[in-house]
């Protein structure tokens, strides 16, 4: 019993100092960008407010969820939602968590899914040694400078989308104001020409017809602007830079530390 208590205290202390990717590692120590480079309601130029220049977006972690028989194709469950900016064939480096001081393995992106990456790895020897394979559940730490540049570019492009959305909203506001106040304008215009019914009857009907035609045109513009805004909302959702939180794999760390733990439950069989 005494040995078990000592082991639990040791494992908790070790877990607090052995996170997969620590917050200090993701901090960007460069002087650019600064606070003035953020975008806000008054200044649309600069970095989007969702982009944090103090975070190194090139680093993220993941877990091996599946692999091919020869271990050259790996499917990785990733914690970072920003991996959606990867493209097929992009290179990246990765380490096993307990061998982060050794040479990294080199891989290439093969496919991207929500929450998952599929990698092609030609050689696992640099980061894993002569075993040449990973077991499912192995935690890896990844680094990709190309991903960090893509995230920064996406953040800047989102600022342009926000500025475009602001312009469309301004136009839509003016169109809505006209459409919603159309009835009152129609009454005022009709009353003005009613004073000279005998002399200006023809002008009155002509002006009303022109006003109705203008209403139809404005309604068409209104529908088009609403459609464009819906498309922009979809683009804004895709280019949102997510905040990633770092987690510690309790079960996996206990296994590495040699602490007695229950066996991981077997996956459900799918017929």
């Amino acid at each position: 019993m005494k040995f078990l208590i000592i082991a639990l205290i040791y494992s908790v202390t070790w877990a607090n100092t052995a996170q997969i990717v620590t917050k200090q590692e993701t901090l960007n120590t460069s002087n650019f960008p600064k606070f003035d480079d953020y975008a806000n309601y008054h200044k649309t130029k600069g970095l989007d407010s969702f982009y944090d220049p103090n975070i190194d977006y090139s680093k993220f972690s993941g877990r091996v969820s599946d692999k091919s028989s020869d271990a050259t194709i790996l499917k990785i469950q990733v914690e970072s939602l920003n991996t959606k900016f990867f493209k097929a064939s992009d290179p990246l480096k990765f380490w096993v968590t307990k061998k982060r001081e050794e040479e990294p393995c080199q891989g290439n992106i093969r496919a991207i899914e929500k929450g998952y990456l599929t990698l092609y790895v030609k050689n696992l020897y640099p980061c894993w040694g002569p075993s040449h394979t990973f077991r499912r559940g192995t935690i890896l730490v990844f680094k990709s400078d190309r991903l960090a540049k893509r995230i920064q570019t996406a953040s800047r492009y989102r600022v342009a989308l926000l500025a475009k959305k602001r312009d469309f909203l301004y136009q839509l506001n003016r169109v809505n104001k006209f459409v919603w106040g159309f009835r009152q304008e129609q009454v005022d215009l009709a009353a003005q020409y009613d004073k000279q019914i005998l002399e200006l009857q023809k002008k009155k009907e002509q002006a009303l017809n022109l006003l109705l035609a203008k209403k139809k045109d404005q309604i068409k513009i209104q529908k088009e602007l609403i459609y464009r805004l819906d498309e922009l909302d979809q683009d804004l959702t895709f280019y949102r830079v997510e905040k990633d939180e770092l987690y510690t794999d309790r079960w996996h760390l206990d296994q590495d530390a040699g602490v007695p733990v229950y066996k991981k439950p077997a996956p459900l069989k799918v017929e």
Side-chain angles (χ1 to χ4, degrees), residues 96 98-99 105 124-135 138:
V96 180
K98 62 181 180 180
K99 294 186 176 183
C105 285
L124 294 175
Y125 186 84
C127 61
W128 193 232
S131 59
H132 301 294
T133 185
F134 287 135
R135 67 176 184 272
T138 302

Side-chain angles (χ1 to χ4, degrees), residues 90-91 149 158 169 173 175 188 191 217:
D90 281 347
K149 292 180 180 178
R158 192 171 187 273
L169 285 173
N173 181 57
V175 172
D188 294 342
D217 292 340

